């Protein structure tokens, strides 16, 4: 293999491996934690919206979580999650603090709280009004997507470049293989 081909990466080299190399090059431990946090925030927020709409719409087979006859809002679970993450942070064990589960717990707990923030502040229950929900859903979805992107923009640019290069090389290899022999 030529030095130039080696530099670009072999067509047989896996895309996932090249993405991993890009992550090693572009993502510091802090950026990795932020990326996991924002991803967990967006994923949790989306999942909670889906589940909540499914329960309310009657198309999911389960109901709300209750304890002692009282409905437990998911912000309660978010507060407990953030308390656990805070306990890990206060403990200060460097290996535990930098663990991806801590970042994921922080993002998920924050999403659970953010989704029901009006209820947490004891404001009027506008949670299910069309105007209240659509604007909040869109805003938090955009925040999560922007957080994931802005946390590691150079990494994402490199992933796009690697993926484009990989697809282009695979297409060229398929074209060569399918060309009729003269």
């Amino acid at each position: 293999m030529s030095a130039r081909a080696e530099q670009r990466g072999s067509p047989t080299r896996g895309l996932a491996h090249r993405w991993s190399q890009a992550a090693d090059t572009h993502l510091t431990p802090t950026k990795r934690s932020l990326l996991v946090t924002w991803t967990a925030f967006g994923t949790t927020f989306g999942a909670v919206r889906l589940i909540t709409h499914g329960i309310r719409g009657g198309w999911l087979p389960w109901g709300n979580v209750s304890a002692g006859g009282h409905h437990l809002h998911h912000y309660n679970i978010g507060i407990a999650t953030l308390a656990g993450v805070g306990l890990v942070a206060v403990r200060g064990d460097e290996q535990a603090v930098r663990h991806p589960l801590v970042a994921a717990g922080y993002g998920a707990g924050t999403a659970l709280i953010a989704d029901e923030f009006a209820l947490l502040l004891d404001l009027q229950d506008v949670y299910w009004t069309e105007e209240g929900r659509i604007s909040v859903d869109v805003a938090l979805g955009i925040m999560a997507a922007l957080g994931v992107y802005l946390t590691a923009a150079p990494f994402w640019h490199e992933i796009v470049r690697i993926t484009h290069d990989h697809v282009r090389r695979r297409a060229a290899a398929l074209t060569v293989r399918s060309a009729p022999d003269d």
Side-chain angles (χ1 to χ4, degrees):
M1 179 183 324
S2 72
R4 186 178 176 104
E6 180 67 34
Q7 190 177 30
R8 283 189 318 227
S10 162
T12 59
R13 195 161 220 187
L15 184 58
H17 176 73
R18 293 178 64 210
W19 285 351
S20 177
Q21 287 178 318
D24 291 342
T25 301
H26 293 282
L27 299 177
T28 64
T30 299
K31 286 184 179 181
R32 286 176 189 260
S33 290
L34 288 169
L35 194 58
V36 170
T37 297
W38 279 110
T39 301
F41 180 93
T43 302
T44 302
F45 184 78
V48 165
R49 290 286 77 239
L50 181 68
I51 291 168
T52 305
H53 283 285
I55 291 170
R56 190 160 175 95
W59 47 269
L60 282 179
W62 59 84
N64 291 321
V65 176
S66 298
H70 295 284
H71 172 70
L72 291 178
H73 289 277
H74 45 269
Y75 71 75
N76 298 115
I77 299 165
I79 290 169
T81 302
L82 289 185
V85 168
L87 191 60
V88 170
V90 169
R91 170 80 167 74
D93 180 2
E94 188 67 26
Q95 193 172 14
V97 169
R98 290 190 178 270
H99 198 280
L101 286 176
V102 174
Y106 182 76
T110 303
L112 292 169
I113 293 169
D115 187 55
E116 292 190 317
F117 198 65
L119 291 174
L120 182 63
L121 293 176
D122 199 29
L123 298 175
Q124 186 179 21
D125 189 359
V126 296
Y127 187 74
W128 286 104
T129 66
E130 193 66 26
E131 302 81 24
R133 288 309 316 160
I134 289 176
S135 62
V136 171
D137 289 352
V138 169
L140 289 173
I142 289 171
M143 278 178 30
L146 281 174
V148 166
Y149 172 73
L150 293 174
T151 294
F155 166 71
W156 293 118
H157 294 186
E158 182 69 5
I159 290 297
V160 168
R161 189 196 64 72
I162 287 169
T163 305
H164 180 265
D165 183 53
H166 179 80
V167 169
R168 185 183 50 76
R169 286 186 290 127
R170 297 282 295 195
L174 288 173
T175 303
V176 168
R177 273 192 236 145
S178 64
D181 292 331
D182 289 329

